[in-house]
Amino acid sequence: MSEEKKDIQPNAENPETFTGIKLGKPKDVAAGIPAVISSAKHVFGEMDVARGMKALLALNQKDGYDCPGCAWPDPDGHRSSIAEYCENGAKAIAEEATTKRVDPAFFAKYSVKELAELDDYGIGKKGRITDPMYLPKGATHYQPISWEDAFKKIGSHLNSLSTPDEAVFYTSGRTSNEAAFLYQLFVREYGTNNLPDCSNMCHESSGVALNESVGIGKGSVTLEDFYEAEAIIILGQNPGTNHPRMLSALQKAKENGATIISVNPLPETGLMGFNNPQKVKGVLGIKSRLTDIFLQVKINGDMALLKAIISLLAKDDEQAPGSVFDHEFIKEHTSGYDNYIANVHKYSLDELSDASGISIPQIKETANVLKNKKKIIACWAMGLTQHKNAVDTIKEVVNLLLLKGSIGKPGAGTCPVRGHSNVQGDRTMGIYEKPSETFLNKLQTTYGFAPPRNHGFDVVDCIKAMHEGMAKVFIAMGGNFLSATPDTLYTAEALRKCKLTVHISTKLNRSHLVHGEEALILPVYGRSDKDLLNGKEQFVSCENSMGVIQMSKGNLKPISANLLSEPVIVCRMAKATLGSRSKVNWDLYEENYDYIRNDIELVIPGFENYNERVRHLGGFYLPNGARSGKFNTFSGKAVFNSADITTQKLAPDEYMMMTIRSHDQFNTTIYGLDDRYRGVYNERRVIFMNEYDMTSAGLKANDVVDLYNYHDGVERVAHKFLVIPFSIPERCTATYFPETNVLVPIGSVADKSNTPTSKMVILKIRKSLT
């Protein structure tokens, strides 16, 4: 392996990597006392008890701050009660509020090359960045730079480009509404719509599917709907690890009589059982069983499964019209029903069973449960969104809800569960490479400049543009771009071709170490940090998965006096770049964030009286047509989508691979090396395989293998993975990201959404020769 590649796949050739791995039995229950112990271990391992308690007591509280982890909502009307946060929320705070410091002395001691030899876990554990840092062209070490000089350098580079479209402005889902609004405002006044964001890699498929089907690219349910639902279907989602607070809502729904159906290639612990540590039974280890029916679908077998269920429901309805489907709703509120039913009848039940991997008895059991249910919620996440046919699969979910009239009424609807705490809010604020004409017209009338009308680059397109030399400056508002994106070596080459890379970050990550000719790291406040402007405390706001806008105000003393907030950084970048030609009063926005919110309400519908309503207990809901039964499509009706199933043809030595998270990570942030729910400890370079497949391939547990992908004739390799036998369908495998993002082809994307197909990577597996 070349030296250049070692900074992207560290330890991949080190045979000592696996010496500490321990394997145990996968858990059958999530949370409970082990989660409490794990939370305390992480928090108090990063800071003293006083700071740790202060951080936790303000987490998800009124006058406190939003968890920087997932976007699961608080109960309506109030912020969560004491300790109403999950294990991974506590881990997120431990990471952000750590007192470990990455200061100029640290950067002077360690070269970029030395830091790059660490794995992502080791890099992230170094601590919070304390000062702006600059890497000159050809230098080996980052060095301190003043804020003023950093902004001048950014402005100089941006103004030297031949066109604004040679710059890319990425956004992470952690960015607040206020910062996101200012960021897109700056970028569009500068002259480009190159605003890729993390949504391009996760729920973009959901947004496209829902916009085309029901007229809004967001979910339609509220948290209260879960408590009224008769059935909840969870597809391609692992809430026990990725959205743990959702388990409490599922538990309450189950107590109220809901049937829970889980669809996943892996039997995820959180879907099977839950010990609520805030209830006596949970403390005593008496688990609540959540899932009633578990459907262990093949990777990407979801559409075939849905069609199979619907085909049985359709036959029952044909025998007694109106007994199963809501024909009044269908006639009044939908279009395309006849064509859709004809499409369903094209397939035999045997064909659909084979394509999904689910037996006919299980399909019949599920259809019988749903037949008489009128209030159904469908939840999904990356297991659906990161496939080539993702948009059509999500539309198939919507088809089921439309047939049952299960949208636009209490206890029913769509629930795409977002993975980052303000990724939905960033899109609402205008972080989008394809803005609507309505939005751009509002910007123009409010501010007096003409925003660009041509579409910009999304994540995949911006990587290609950087690789081809069409984009020369890359600026990231948060996130770990290199570790989050597909085709890691290709993306690294793209970043290295930039003239300047800029990362606005709280902590060190791999993207700082794979850089352009020049590089800047700008340290920023975290959610938990107290934000003072002119001696007055400020707050920001976020939007959760269910469209609620609420305030977030940090309460901790920042780790350094040389940090700035995201809104202030954007204002000063804008002033350094646009100077006197700007029509925006950036100085005003730096005085008080209320001025930002005043202007947001002028541009974006639903934010009337923003400053007043966001200060109310629990915040406020944004308008949602689908929630109220109004479908803002071209026809004014919800649309049935007719699509054919797709099956993956595999050579005898090929497998399907999906990337997943361990229980000790959130997105690209690695909290630790354990995945206790799956029984894997002290190691991440593992591949979960079906035991029959292992035997057929001559593999044994703990064999060391290399993983290969050959999409578009390019060999991609992930070295040194341990084979772990697991409950997963034949010819299906699973690995952790970001370690196997190197295998996800840049050219394999979802139709319409352009989302990388990280849940469908075709593999060849070979025993490692060294």
Side-chain angles (χ1 to χ4, degrees):
M1 183 181 293
S2 69
E3 288 299 316
E4 192 171 73
K5 292 182 179 179
K6 282 184 179 179
D7 62 3
I8 301 165
Q9 295 190 78
N11 298 332
E13 292 191 344
N14 182 1
E16 297 180 358
T17 300
F18 306 120
T19 56
I21 188 169
K22 296 179 181 178
L23 300 178
K25 184 180 178 181
K27 305 297 183 186
D28 62 357
V29 62
I33 294 302
V36 176
I37 294 171
S38 175
S39 299
K41 177 182 174 183
H42 280 269
V43 170
F44 301 121
E46 294 291 339
M47 66 199 82
D48 61 38
V49 172
R51 183 176 172 90
M53 291 304 299
K54 188 174 183 179
L56 292 174
L57 289 172
L59 181 56
N60 293 326
Q61 299 297 311
K62 172 65 177 174
D63 289 327
Y65 57 91
D66 255 14
C67 177
C70 80
W72 192 253
D74 299 311
D76 283 348
H78 62 279
R79 300 306 300 268
S80 302
S81 58
I82 186 170
E84 181 64 21
Y85 49 80
C86 68
E87 175 187 356
N88 274 3
K91 290 176 181 176
I93 291 305
E95 287 288 306
E96 178 181 286
T98 181
T99 52
K100 296 174 184 174
R101 294 163 54 91
V102 177
D103 57 17
F106 174 92
F107 284 106
K109 181 177 180 180
Y110 297 105
S111 68
V112 172
K113 181 178 182 297
E114 288 173 313
L115 292 171
E117 290 172 354
L118 300 172
D119 59 19
D120 282 32
Y121 171 64
I123 293 170
K125 284 298 180 184
K126 294 303 177 186
R128 287 284 297 270
I129 302 166
T130 63
D131 296 86
M133 303 302 297
Y134 170 57
L135 186 69
K137 183 176 180 179
T140 59
H141 291 67
Y142 275 97
Q143 60 192 42
I145 186 173
S146 70
W147 279 106
E148 182 180 3
D149 287 345
F151 293 129
K152 284 181 180 178
K153 187 163 287 293
I154 293 169
S156 175
H157 272 274
L158 291 176
N159 287 324
S160 69
L161 299 176
S162 59
T163 167
D165 288 331
E166 290 183 341
V168 170
F169 300 85
Y170 174 75
T171 310
S172 160
R174 184 181 63 86
T175 306
S176 69
N177 286 340
E178 291 76 6
F181 181 79
L182 294 186
Y183 195 43
Q184 65 80 30
L185 182 64
F186 159 49
V187 171
R188 292 194 165 105
E189 189 175 25
Y190 171 65
T192 184
N193 282 314
N194 288 345
L195 281 160
D197 72 328
C198 58
S199 185
N200 297 150
M201 295 180 283
C202 58
H203 271 289
E204 197 68 53
S205 298
S206 300
V208 173
L210 292 173
N211 263 312
E212 293 182 356
S213 294
V214 298
I216 184 170
K218 303 178 182 181
S220 66
V221 300
T222 69
L223 190 57
E224 294 297 316
D225 287 323
F226 276 78
Y227 311 146
E228 297 187 44
E230 296 172 343
I232 300 171
I233 308 173
I234 303 168
L235 305 103
Q237 184 196 357
N238 176 16
T241 288
N242 301 334
H243 315 94
R245 285 205 298 158
M246 182 179 177
L247 300 181
S248 297
L250 294 176
Q251 183 182 50
K252 186 171 180 179
K254 188 74 180 290
E255 290 170 352
N256 290 349
T259 299
I260 298 177
I261 300 166
S262 299
V263 182
N264 204 302
L266 296 172
E268 300 291 13
T269 298
L271 290 173
M272 301 302 137
F274 173 49
N275 280 347
N276 189 334
Q278 292 195 334
K279 294 189 175 183
V280 173
K281 286 184 177 180
V283 173
L284 295 177
I286 303 172
K287 73 177 180 181
S288 296
R289 180 172 176 81
L290 295 182
T291 292
D292 296 288
I293 299 176
F294 173 53
L295 302 172
Q296 193 167 15
V297 71
K298 292 179 182 177
I299 292 177
N300 201 29
D302 307 87
M303 180 186 281
L305 172 62
L306 289 163
K307 281 192 188 294
I309 294 168
I310 290 168
S311 70
L312 292 176
L313 295 176
K315 289 178 182 177
D316 286 342
D317 189 75
E318 288 163 5
Q319 292 176 0
S323 64
V324 179
F325 294 162
D326 188 339
H327 286 282
E328 182 179 345
F329 176 88
I330 292 168
K331 181 178 180 180
E332 185 175 347
H333 294 292
T334 74
S335 64
Y337 170 78
D338 291 335
N339 287 340
Y340 173 67
I341 291 298
N343 175 270
V344 171
H345 286 326
K346 283 172 47 176
Y347 301 97
S348 70
L349 191 58
D350 285 336
E351 185 179 4
L352 295 170
S353 172
D354 183 65
S356 66
I358 303 301
S359 70
I360 290 177
Q362 276 191 296
I363 295 170
K364 288 182 175 179
E365 178 190 13
T366 307
N368 284 333
V369 166
L370 294 176
K371 184 164 72 170
N372 298 316
K373 306 294 187 186
K374 300 183 184 301
K375 295 182 177 182
I376 303 171
I377 291 174
C379 308
W380 68 90
M382 305 301 95
L384 294 196
T385 67
Q386 294 178 331
H387 290 282
K388 190 175 191 305
N389 64 338
V391 171
D392 282 334
T393 298
I394 295 164
K395 287 182 177 181
E396 200 72 32
V397 175
V398 175
N399 288 340
L400 174 59
L401 298 177
L402 295 179
L403 290 169
K404 299 293 291 181
S406 282
I407 190 167
K409 67 182 182 184
T414 57
C415 184
V417 184
R418 307 285 175 171
H420 214 159
S421 60
N422 201 42
V423 62
Q424 187 163 297
D426 290 346
R427 183 59 57 88
T428 300
M429 291 295 108
I431 300 293
Y432 189 33
E433 74 279 359
K434 301 173 185 175
S436 69
E437 286 296 309
T438 300
F439 178 81
L440 295 177
N441 290 339
K442 270 289 190 181
L443 280 183
Q444 186 161 350
T445 55
T446 301
Y447 290 101
F449 69 85
R453 301 282 167 164
N454 55 308
H455 289 172
F457 297 136
D458 62 15
V459 163
V460 168
D461 288 338
C462 87
I463 294 170
K464 292 179 178 178
M466 290 187 289
H467 203 274
E468 295 166 8
M470 296 169 54
K472 299 173 181 176
V473 173
F474 176 83
I475 300 177
M477 179 66 75
N480 182 357
F481 187 79
L482 178 65
S483 292
T485 46
D487 220 334
T488 312
L489 297 183
Y490 181 93
T491 301
E493 290 172 357
L495 289 167
R496 288 188 173 113
K497 291 181 180 181
C498 289
K499 297 293 184 183
L500 175 70
T501 51
V502 181
H503 292 276
I504 300 165
S505 305
T506 55
K507 301 189 72 178
L508 193 66
N509 66 55
R510 187 161 303 282
S511 297
H512 305 145
L513 310 175
V514 179
H515 49 78
E517 289 183 6
E518 296 177 78
L520 286 166
I521 306 173
L522 306 183
V524 67
Y525 289 148
R527 286 273 178 85
S528 56
D529 289 324
K530 185 179 292 187
D531 185 353
L532 291 173
L533 278 180
N534 303 314
K536 183 176 180 180
E537 283 190 37
Q538 303 294 312
F539 69 87
V540 294
S541 58
C542 303
E543 178 182 347
N544 66 35
S545 260
M546 296 175 185
V548 176
I549 304 295
Q550 54 199 17
M551 65 185 293
S552 177
K553 184 166 67 174
N555 70 333
L556 299 181
K557 181 181 179 180
I559 195 72
S560 165
N562 206 15
L563 308 182
L564 294 178
S565 70
E566 289 175 334
V568 169
I569 288 174
V570 175
C571 288
R572 295 185 186 178
M573 280 198 301
K575 289 188 288 186
T577 303
L578 303 174
S580 61
R581 70 181 187 269
S582 178
K583 296 181 180 295
V584 177
N585 189 346
W586 299 103
D587 289 331
L588 183 67
Y589 294 148
E590 277 195 64
E591 288 182 17
N592 191 308
Y593 299 164
D594 280 354
Y595 294 122
I596 306 172
R597 288 183 283 271
N598 285 342
D599 283 359
I600 288 173
E601 79 175 62
L602 297 177
V603 176
I604 301 175
F607 284 85
E608 297 80 11
N609 301 315
Y610 192 177
N611 272 308
E612 176 189 344
R613 291 196 293 157
V614 77
R615 287 173 162 87
H616 291 170
L617 188 65
F620 62 92
Y621 278 94
L622 291 177
N624 188 307
R627 181 175 294 153
S628 57
K630 297 178 181 178
F631 304 109
N632 297 315
T633 61
F634 288 117
S635 66
K637 293 186 174 185
V639 181
F640 280 100
N641 181 65
S642 299
D644 292 330
I645 65 170
T646 59
T647 55
Q648 185 66 51
K649 298 187 184 305
L650 298 172
D653 63 341
E654 288 182 334
Y655 306 84
M656 295 178 285
M657 183 197 83
M658 62 179 186
T659 62
I660 59 176
R661 297 178 190 171
S662 81
H663 190 63
D664 255 0
Q665 77 178 99
F666 182 77
N667 293 341
T668 59
T669 302
I670 313 299
Y671 300 137
L673 300 179
D674 295 343
D675 190 357
R676 74 172 187 273
Y677 288 170
R678 298 189 183 103
V680 178
Y681 300 88
N682 204 38
E683 185 52 63
R684 291 183 51 83
R685 297 183 77 83
V686 300
I687 178 168
F688 297 101
M689 291 187 70
N690 176 279
E691 289 193 67
Y692 174 81
D693 288 339
M694 291 171 56
T695 301
S696 299
L699 296 172
K700 305 185 302 297
N702 294 331
D703 275 353
V704 182
V705 296
D706 297 330
L707 313 179
Y708 294 82
N709 170 270
Y710 291 96
H711 186 85
D712 286 341
V714 177
E715 183 181 80
R716 300 171 182 85
V717 189
H719 294 283
K720 303 291 184 182
F721 281 71
L722 282 177
V723 176
I724 305 296
F726 209 76
S727 176
I728 190 170
E730 291 179 23
R731 310 300 291 282
C732 297
T733 67
T735 59
Y736 300 132
F737 79 88
E739 285 82 355
T740 52
N741 283 0
V742 68
L743 299 171
V744 182
I746 190 72
S748 180
V749 295
D751 297 333
K752 292 190 175 183
S753 70
N754 214 32
T755 296
T757 58
S758 299
K759 293 292 187 288
M760 175 59 78
V761 179
I762 305 305
L763 281 189
K764 291 180 183 284
I765 303 172
R766 298 171 187 159
K767 283 188 178 181
S768 179
L769 298 178
T770 57

